[in-house]
Amino acid sequence: MMAEEVKLFRSWSSPFPLRVIWALELKGIPYEVILVDLSNKSSLLLQYNPIHMKVPVLVHNGKSIAESLVILEYVEETWKQTPSLLPEDPYERAMERFWAKFGDDKVLPSLWNVFIKQGKDQEEAMVPAQENLTNLEELLRGKNFFSGERIGFLDLAFGWLANMVSVFEEVMGATVLDNQKLPSLSAWMKNFMDAPIIKESWPPRDKLITKCQALRQAHIEKEAPK
Amino acid sequence: MGEELKLHGAWISPFVYRVIWALKLKGVPYEYIEEDLSNKSPLLLKYNPVHKKVPALVHAGKPICESMIIVEYIEETWPQYPLLPIDPYERAMARFWVKFAEEKGDAVWALFRTSGEEQEKAMKGTLEMLKTIEEHSPDAKKFFGGDKIGIVDIAFGAIGYWLGVVEELLGVALFEAHAFPRLHAWLKNFTEAPKIKENLPGRDELVVFVRSWRAERLLASQN
């Protein structure tokens, strides 16, 4: 059998490459990490992801794939060993894809919008963010994980919530996710955070806090009345 | 499979047409329900509570929403006339371009909704998108799917056809043949393919509709 070469371009902090790392680790696929400094993009990244110049990029036997959720589906189809990431039933698969898209298109931007604001602007931004999180609470009802009994595609897609919400809340000094109102989501976040493989993967929290503080500061200064 | 299949749509929606094309190419029968987008049916709101939008495909009572997710569902449920290649890497490439269409296509939809500075920004975004596809997408034989229409053609086809509508509406030429020769040739192939040609809303009717819709919005925003 041909020796497989799997490389993954990531940055130290971006949550999107983590999705791919989790998938590769869960399936026991050996891979090499290429660490990218996103403030100083290398020509190598340009060569492998010329269209977006972003991480993650998976390079498998010299062929590159970008877009984290696309990569997850590629990993699932290429390495068929367990655990399988997606359900077999087409309807269940469509549901996971739908909610993963909701996560990236709605949940993430709405939480980011709360994070970069303050005062009344932040209060207003809380409303859609909390509505979106309530949708996730309802999705989880009666389940341990978004994908059912064990971690799957949808958990990997939402995984960033497990550590980034608390980082955001600490930096901005405000709560967006009320544990009392969203008990299932809070429980999931804790379970996912501490799950085998997942728990070893998180970027250093103190570095994340520092980085997020700088980002929030920059956004607030930009919006400040002149 | 004799289960009930219904599509909630609107004749003006490019997203709905993506689903129609997939169903027609595969020869899958369905019932079409036209929604009045200014007065959405309780059924639609029940089937798509999160986004409250068309299309919503309902198969044996179970709803699926988001046009390209619906297309993937159709692909996995009815295997005839495959819309995705077999090879995992080729599938990943197709999915990459579908995501690109979903993300960058927003600039085209913004052209319909906006005016002034926002619209200028949307025009720039549209041109950038067209340039990237022209330069980076794999050589289209007849279609992005090869000799047959595939999922990438469906994703881009909606953008391409509706771009023609907004060009006529605004009296601008964004998608010029000399600037985008490959894409122009591709769009001609796509819109002339029998199953697509028979399933396109009239361009003139669309222009008339959008013109009055924009006028209504402008009036509402001024009050």
Side-chain angles (χ1 to χ4, degrees):
Chain A
M1 184 164 131
M2 173 174 70
E4 306 233 53
E5 194 192 57
V6 181
K7 297 188 207 234
L8 178 69
F9 283 82
R10 70 167 294 186
S11 67
W12 74 267
S13 60
S14 170
F16 303 105
L18 280 180
R19 294 170 168 172
V20 181
I21 286 173
W22 295 329
L24 294 171
E25 293 277 345
L26 283 167
K27 283 186 180 269
I29 301 158
Y31 62 99
E32 181 195 334
V33 167
I34 299 171
L35 201 61
V36 170
D37 174 3
L38 289 177
S39 63
N40 186 17
K41 291 175 185 180
S42 70
S43 57
L44 207 56
L45 188 63
L46 175 64
Q47 180 193 340
Y48 283 114
N49 188 359
I51 289 163
H52 300 301
M53 285 188 289
K54 286 179 174 175
V55 290
V57 183
L58 186 81
V59 185
H60 183 205
N61 295 332
K63 298 203 280 194
S64 60
I65 303 145
E67 294 296 333
S68 58
L69 297 181
V70 172
I71 298 171
L72 286 188
E73 299 232 27
Y74 175 80
V75 169
E76 174 78 333
E77 291 178 356
T78 303
W79 291 280
K80 295 194 195 292
Q81 63 264 39
T82 54
S84 59
L85 300 174
L86 277 161
E88 292 226 2
D89 174 65
Y91 185 77
E92 297 304 319
R93 290 158 76 89
M95 288 306 100
E96 295 214 6
R97 287 174 180 141
F98 174 89
W99 287 108
K101 188 173 199 306
F102 177 78
D104 284 358
D105 288 356
K106 301 286 182 201
V107 181
L108 180 54
S110 67
L111 281 177
W112 181 253
N113 206 29
V114 169
F115 176 68
I116 58 172
K117 298 202 162 138
Q118 58 180 358
K120 190 147 188 302
D121 285 341
Q122 190 182 62
E123 271 175 46
E124 283 173 11
M126 286 276 186
V127 177
Q130 285 167 341
E131 270 171 26
N132 291 335
L133 290 173
T134 304
N135 273 311
L136 300 190
E137 174 73 17
E138 284 164 17
L139 196 60
L140 268 172
R141 200 142 290 157
K143 297 197 285 189
N144 284 331
F145 295 103
F146 284 105
S147 292
E149 282 315 298
R150 53 170 177 77
I151 288 174
F153 177 85
L154 197 47
D155 301 282
L156 302 191
F158 281 129
W160 60 270
L161 277 166
N163 81 323
M164 287 316 295
V165 169
S166 71
V167 168
F168 284 169
E169 288 182 338
E170 185 174 325
V171 169
M172 64 189 184
T175 302
V176 62
L177 198 155
D178 183 338
N179 294 337
Q180 311 275 24
K181 289 193 183 150
L182 308 174
S184 303
L185 187 56
S186 303
W188 172 83
M189 279 166 55
K190 190 170 187 312
N191 285 337
F192 188 83
M193 182 96 188
D194 295 337
I197 289 173
I198 310 295
K199 70 177 185 236
E200 276 118 44
S201 66
W202 300 116
R205 191 184 168 85
D206 51 353
K207 263 184 95 175
L208 270 179
I209 298 273
T210 305
K211 182 183 164 112
C212 287
Q213 273 167 346
L215 281 169
R216 177 167 156 82
Q217 196 54 34
H219 275 276
I220 286 177
E221 274 164 24
K222 214 167 66 167
E223 291 302 309
K226 311 263 180 318
Chain B
M1 237 196 285
E3 283 150 342
E4 209 177 46
L5 191 63
K6 300 188 192 208
L7 174 62
H8 289 253
W11 72 273
I12 50 149
S13 165
F15 308 101
V16 170
Y17 273 88
R18 285 171 170 165
V19 178
I20 290 174
W21 295 332
L23 292 169
K24 292 287 184 185
L25 285 164
K26 287 176 179 280
V28 177
Y30 64 98
E31 183 192 336
Y32 179 78
I33 295 139
E34 176 75 19
E35 289 281 342
D36 174 359
L37 295 182
S38 62
N39 186 20
K40 291 170 183 175
S41 74
L43 259 185
L44 178 64
L45 299 179
K46 178 180 113 168
Y47 289 138
N48 194 355
V50 172
H51 301 298
K52 305 177 174 54
K53 286 180 174 176
V54 291
L57 185 74
V58 188
H59 188 201
K62 298 201 282 192
I64 306 118
C65 306
E66 294 296 305
S67 62
M68 294 316 298
I69 291 174
I70 298 172
V71 172
E72 283 224 56
Y73 175 79
I74 292 168
E75 171 70 354
E76 292 182 354
T77 307
W78 293 279
Q80 66 271 28
Y81 200 104
L83 298 172
L84 272 167
I86 295 177
D87 172 66
Y89 180 73
E90 297 302 319
R91 290 164 75 87
M93 289 304 97
R95 288 186 172 124
F96 173 87
W97 286 107
V98 166
K99 171 111 193 4
F100 182 88
E102 288 187 306
E103 201 180 301
K104 304 297 178 186
D106 267 350
V108 177
W109 316 133
L111 287 172
F112 285 90
R113 287 193 314 266
T114 57
S115 43
E117 203 183 302
E118 264 195 87
Q119 196 177 63
E120 297 271 338
K121 198 168 157 222
M123 288 205 203
K124 262 192 86 190
T126 298
L127 286 170
E128 274 167 25
M129 174 195 72
L130 291 171
K131 191 159 181 284
T132 302
I133 305 169
E134 179 77 22
E135 283 174 21
H136 288 281
S137 62
D139 273 320
K141 296 189 183 61
K142 197 167 176 204
F143 304 109
F144 288 112
D147 296 317
K148 290 178 156 194
I149 290 172
I151 200 170
V152 177
D153 301 281
I154 289 177
F156 284 148
I159 295 172
Y161 187 74
W162 265 258
L163 185 51
V165 172
V166 83
E167 283 181 304
E168 193 172 316
L169 177 77
L170 301 176
V172 294
L174 289 167
F175 184 31
E176 298 186 271
H178 67 87
F180 307 103
R182 288 178 60 208
L183 273 179
H184 248 266
W186 162 78
L187 188 61
K188 191 162 185 291
N189 290 337
F190 183 78
T191 52
E192 287 179 0
K195 285 276 179 348
I196 305 301
K197 194 168 169 180
E198 298 156 3
N199 293 289
L200 281 171
R203 215 170 90 153
D204 295 337
E205 286 90 335
L206 275 174
V207 173
V208 167
F209 177 89
V210 180
R211 193 164 278 144
S212 97
W213 177 81
R214 277 175 67 89
E216 270 176 45
R217 266 170 74 96
L218 191 60
L219 210 61
S221 72
Q222 285 167 348
N223 291 343

